[in-house]
Amino acid sequence: PLAAALLLFQSPKWTDAEAEARWKKDVPEGIAEKLKPILRTDHYLILTNSAGSELFGRKMEEAYAKIRAIYPFEEKAEARLLVVFLFRSKEEYVGFCEKMGSKEMGSASKGHAWKDYYATWYEAPNDPVHIHEATHQLFSNRLHLAGGGSWFQEGVAEYMSTLANERKV
């Protein structure tokens, strides 16, 4: 109850202090002091130590629109921006995953969505992993669909990360 009440006082767009605190809390030591200017898009809060976050933000917004076009959901004014941790290198991403409890996940993936965030490293803005993980993030945080089994969740994310001509059988 108290935590819910505290959320009412937080801006859905995240204050700079909240965003900086989130970065410092979740990233490994040695990276925490390297936060670049915070990027807010219409739907995302991008916390990064990498260059190219503006292009990445545009690509995430394109992914959001594509997902929402196929799986429509109501936009809620009180919904917080979706958090993205964007790292400069795979090594930094793996370090983040290790701090979050799963070094193996970091070593075996190019990105992951979990709880309220999506984490990845900057390699290519058009990498299909971004829309794949954005799908997981939106299904969890906007559609509130955690069920259906992993086959459903992965199937939907894979569908969203393919091009229309790749889906023809």
Side-chain angles (χ1 to χ4, degrees):
L2 179 59
L6 289 176
L7 282 177
L8 293 175
F9 296 107
Q10 294 178 334
S11 164
K13 301 295 184 190
W14 294 78
T15 66
D16 284 350
E18 289 172 321
E20 289 170 12
R22 178 66 185 267
W23 173 263
K24 288 177 182 174
K25 176 181 82 72
D26 288 346
V27 303
E29 286 187 35
I31 299 173
E33 64 280 352
K34 297 178 182 174
L35 178 63
K36 298 267 188 194
I38 297 163
L39 176 64
R40 292 170 184 82
T41 67
D42 289 343
H43 302 100
Y44 293 96
L45 171 72
I46 300 174
L47 303 173
T48 187
N49 62 343
S50 176
S53 60
E54 288 186 26
L55 174 58
F56 184 84
R58 285 194 301 274
K59 293 298 182 178
M60 289 301 292
E61 285 296 334
E62 288 173 15
Y64 186 100
K66 185 176 176 184
I67 296 162
R68 190 162 180 253
I70 294 175
Y71 301 100
F73 56 90
E74 181 183 346
E75 297 270 2
K76 296 188 176 177
E78 70 276 7
R80 296 206 85 189
L81 294 176
L82 297 160
V83 177
V84 177
F85 291 98
L86 178 64
F87 298 99
R88 279 184 310 144
S89 68
K90 179 170 180 140
E91 294 75 28
E92 291 174 347
Y93 167 71
V94 171
F96 171 82
C97 292
E98 185 173 18
K99 183 172 180 182
M100 298 308 274
S102 180
K103 183 177 182 178
E104 296 77 29
M105 178 180 13
S107 299
S109 71
K110 291 182 83 177
H112 71 277
W114 189 49
K115 297 184 179 181
D116 71 332
Y117 73 83
Y118 165 43
T120 188
W121 76 92
Y122 195 78
E123 191 171 56
N126 291 319
D127 191 323
V129 75
H130 303 313
I131 193 166
H132 179 106
E133 297 302 332
T135 302
H136 288 310
Q137 189 180 33
L138 287 175
F139 265 57
S140 176
N141 292 284
R142 294 299 187 260
L143 293 165
H144 306 288
L145 296 173
S150 64
W151 65 270
F152 174 73
Q153 295 288 334
E154 286 304 315
V156 169
E158 279 298 306
Y159 175 81
M160 291 307 306
S161 64
T162 59
L163 301 173
N165 64 347
E166 294 172 327
R167 294 182 212 123
K168 294 180 181 175
V169 179

